[in-house]
Amino acid sequence: MYSGSGFSDWEIGDITVIIHEGVYHLFHLIIPNHDYIAHAVSNDGISWKRVKNALFVGNPGEWDDDMLWTMDVVEVNGKFEMYYTGLQRRDRGVISRIGLATSDNLLDWEKSEKDIFPISPKGIFYENETDNPRKWLSFRDPFWYKYKNEIYLLVCARSITGPVSRRGCVGLVKITNDVVELRPPLVYPMMYDDIECPCIFELKGRYYIIGSIREDIKIRYWFAGDFFGEYHSFHSDVLLPKGNYAARIVKDGDHILLYNFFYSYGKIDALRVLPPPKELDIDESGRLLIKSYYRWDMQVTKTILQTDFGNVKHLLSNPTASSAIEVDKWTCASRSGYEIFSFDKPSSSFIWEGLLTVEGMGKLGLVSDIDEDGNGYFISFDVQNGLLQMRAWGFNPLDVRQNFIFNELQVGVFKMNKENRFNFRLIHYGNYIEFSIDGEVKLTLMDYAFSGGGIGLYSASSVISLQNSVVKILPEPIDEYASQEEARKSPESSLGPL
């Protein structure tokens, strides 16, 4: 994982990732100053090391002398282009424009002096400097896309018509032979103030546009049969749950990876972290699915079978609870009240997989980082309503009047099949937690509250069974600041092994 933080814990801003010659390159903003674009590299897309900063704000009087905002980096004819957002002090930083920088090697960047830059909104489609009732102008967050040999930029823009708080749209700029043409919005849902960090990709015959929504800090998407086609939403248009933001995609061979940063605790000024990527796929109806990163299984150092998990503890000593531990099946139940059935986790970073079957009514779920008093993380399954909830639950020694912690960290939805069973996958990597049901990621977050030594199941008036379960051991996360020591001592080898 990567936070890029120094004096404060929330310095990482919007991101873009490009893969070149097997090396993952991350470019990101620095919050809150926005005075430069940082650059980090990785060999696995998970652990990152900072290298030479890419771009700085302009000198006084230049169009980008106030702040730098979201960028996109692409390879074009063996060279690299960075389209980025700039703000100017003369405008008091309320007008965003789009510029270009170029590089031969991804390390050394030069701002373009072509007359077409910076690009500003003009014409009849978008709010502009003279028609801007919100009093700050969004024309930013460019995303480069090539369609039928024509170059386009998707941008976070605002329609020139509509209710002021609902004008957010995905604007479109066409660039042909250094001629800029502003085209009508690709997506204008008439719902949001802004659609931030838009990006587009084609997958199995459909086009998908992803955007981040400030109103609820979620990532949503739209689809169409053609690049210029009318874009629609499914019944559920949330791609990543609350706390995940500023998502961008990158193609990694046959894989489409989704990167974003995470707001810890759902607060904009709390710790921000770049979690490991997820992968994009679609179901039989064309709806986007989030899957685990293919490199997780490449990280596994050891696999432990269910028969070797060790003793199962009844942490709460509930007299109505029972557990039958057989060679090929664990059955755990509690007729009345709660019981936590835990075993020792063999490592602080692991993948726990298995088949869960609900054999009775009542409440049930998984626990992680649980201690002897039952403090830890609880993943609850409401199998009747298809609701999945991740909670931090335990004792609070700092407040005698409210001596408990009960924080809902994230919510997801799932469908229960007729057999009342599903395959699950829990990834716990440092402070990163990812949970999947039947191969689809439902929860993805960072949290720092608990680090107990147990994992397991819980039951409240329910009967559940566990089969075909394994725990896969992962290496401990590389400390990004320790890795930085190598780069500081030997900057010329900063692209070497991490």
Side-chain angles (χ1 to χ4, degrees), residues 338-381:
Y338 241 80
E339 185 56 276
I340 299 171
F341 307 88
S342 75
F343 59 96
D344 292 338
K345 63 181 183 183
S347 172
S348 59
S349 293
F350 59 87
I351 301 172
W352 181 24
E353 300 174 335
L355 175 66
L356 276 182
T357 303
V358 181
E359 300 184 354
M361 300 176 65
K363 296 183 176 180
L364 66 144
L366 302 184
V367 297
S368 181
D369 292 84
I370 207 85
D371 64 18
E372 295 294 327
D373 294 320
N375 305 307
Y377 297 111
F378 289 71
I379 302 175
S380 69
F381 311 115

Side-chain angles (χ1 to χ4, degrees), residues 12-83:
I12 188 171
D14 297 352
I15 59 102
T16 190
V17 175
I18 182 173
I19 304 171
H20 179 62
E21 295 182 348
V23 176
Y24 297 72
H25 293 260
L26 166 70
F27 296 87
H28 68 86
L29 303 181
I30 295 293
I31 309 296
N33 290 347
H34 289 270
D35 50 356
Y36 67 94
I37 294 173
H39 183 187
V41 296
S42 173
N43 287 333
D44 59 11
I46 299 175
S47 300
W48 300 89
K49 179 170 63 180
R50 284 281 283 274
V51 292
K52 182 180 179 181
N53 295 322
L55 213 62
F56 290 84
V57 293
N59 293 315
E62 296 179 341
W63 73 272
D64 58 355
D65 66 354
D66 183 30
M67 287 186 171
L68 302 181
W69 285 5
T70 312
M71 79 308 295
D72 187 35
V73 177
V74 294
E75 184 175 359
V76 180
N77 299 325
K79 298 184 181 296
F80 303 94
E81 297 180 350
M82 178 191 293
Y83 293 86

Side-chain angles (χ1 to χ4, degrees), residues 159-439:
S159 172
I160 205 166
T161 62
V164 173
S165 65
R166 294 173 175 266
R167 292 189 176 187
C169 64
V170 178
L172 188 65
V173 178
K174 182 180 180 182
I175 304 177
T176 306
N177 297 326
D178 289 341
V179 175
V180 172
E181 178 188 358
L182 271 62
R183 302 288 298 268
L186 277 183
V187 173
Y188 177 26
M190 305 179 189
M191 294 176 66
Y192 307 115
D193 190 56
D194 274 318
I195 300 176
E196 297 194 298
C197 303
C199 57
I200 190 170
F201 59 94
E202 187 271 335
L203 181 58
K204 298 179 182 178
R206 280 184 172 172
Y207 288 83
Y208 295 87
I209 291 178
I210 294 171
S212 295
I213 307 301
R214 288 189 295 128
E215 279 84 342
D216 57 6
I217 317 178
K218 292 179 181 178
I219 297 167
R220 300 178 184 272
Y221 75 97
W222 299 264
F223 70 94
D226 182 75
F227 178 74
F228 294 110
E230 185 177 81
Y231 283 82
H232 307 277
S233 297
F234 289 103
H235 294 299
S236 174
D237 64 354
V238 175
L239 185 62
L240 285 177
K242 189 170 184 176
N244 296 283
Y245 208 70
R248 283 288 172 93
I249 62 105
V250 60
K251 290 190 176 180
D252 185 1
D254 294 331
H255 307 272
I256 299 178
L257 304 186
L258 184 70
Y259 278 95
N260 64 278
F261 66 76
F262 182 80
Y263 287 102
S264 183
Y265 314 118
K267 297 180 179 179
I268 193 170
D269 58 350
L271 175 62
R272 296 185 184 196
V273 179
L274 181 83
K278 270 68 70 176
E279 294 191 29
L280 289 169
D281 201 352
I282 58 173
D283 66 10
E284 65 280 359
S285 300
R287 294 172 296 191
L288 285 180
L289 301 177
I290 303 294
K291 296 187 175 182
S292 285
Y293 186 31
Y294 73 94
R295 284 186 178 271
W296 282 123
D297 287 323
M298 299 165 63
Q299 305 270 348
V300 173
T301 61
K302 182 181 179 181
T303 298
I304 301 173
L305 303 179
Q306 183 172 333
T307 53
D308 299 319
F309 283 176
N311 295 329
V312 177
K313 307 172 187 175
H314 294 203
L315 287 186
L316 305 181
S317 300
N318 186 329
T320 74
S322 63
S323 59
I325 309 302
E326 304 173 63
V327 174
D328 59 348
K329 181 180 180 181
W330 293 5
T331 303
C332 301
S334 177
R335 296 195 313 273
S336 175
Y338 241 80
E339 185 56 276
I340 299 171
F341 307 88
S342 75
F343 59 96
D344 292 338
K345 63 181 183 183
S347 172
S348 59
S349 293
F350 59 87
I351 301 172
W352 181 24
E353 300 174 335
L355 175 66
L356 276 182
T357 303
V358 181
E359 300 184 354
M361 300 176 65
K363 296 183 176 180
L364 66 144
L366 302 184
V367 297
S368 181
D369 292 84
I370 207 85
D371 64 18
E372 295 294 327
D373 294 320
N375 305 307
Y377 297 111
F378 289 71
I379 302 175
S380 69
F381 311 115
D382 181 342
V383 298
Q384 185 70 31
N385 298 301
L387 189 64
L388 187 66
Q389 294 176 301
M390 178 85 176
R391 298 188 181 103
W393 190 1
F395 176 61
N396 178 12
L398 303 178
D399 188 346
V400 296
R401 295 182 182 273
Q402 184 170 307
N403 63 348
F404 58 85
I405 298 169
F406 191 80
N407 295 328
E408 185 178 275
L409 301 178
Q410 204 169 79
V411 177
V413 294
F414 70 102
K415 286 186 178 180
M416 198 66 174
N417 54 38
K418 295 180 180 179
E419 293 77 24
N420 283 343
R421 62 175 55 188
F422 57 84
N423 289 285
F424 73 89
R425 189 185 216 208
L426 173 64
I427 299 177
H428 204 306
Y429 183 67
N431 297 107
Y432 174 68
I433 301 171
E434 177 183 303
F435 185 75
S436 301
I437 291 180
D438 290 332

Side-chain angles (χ1 to χ4, degrees), residues 83-140:
Y83 293 86
Y84 68 98
T85 310
L87 308 179
Q88 191 168 19
R89 292 178 63 246
R90 185 182 63 191
D91 304 321
R92 305 290 293 178
V94 299
I95 298 175
S96 52
R97 302 178 179 90
I98 296 170
L100 171 68
T102 59
S103 173
D104 293 329
N105 57 11
L106 287 168
L107 291 174
D108 303 294
W109 292 89
E110 182 177 350
K111 295 180 182 179
S112 174
E113 296 183 357
K114 289 183 178 180
D115 291 339
I116 65 171
F117 298 107
I119 302 173
S120 302
K122 298 175 183 178
I124 62 174
F125 301 119
Y126 306 108
E127 287 185 352
N128 52 59
E129 296 179 25
T130 58
D131 191 349
N132 176 26
R134 196 179 61 174
K135 304 303 181 185
W136 69 283
L137 182 64
S138 288
F139 197 75
R140 53 191 174 87

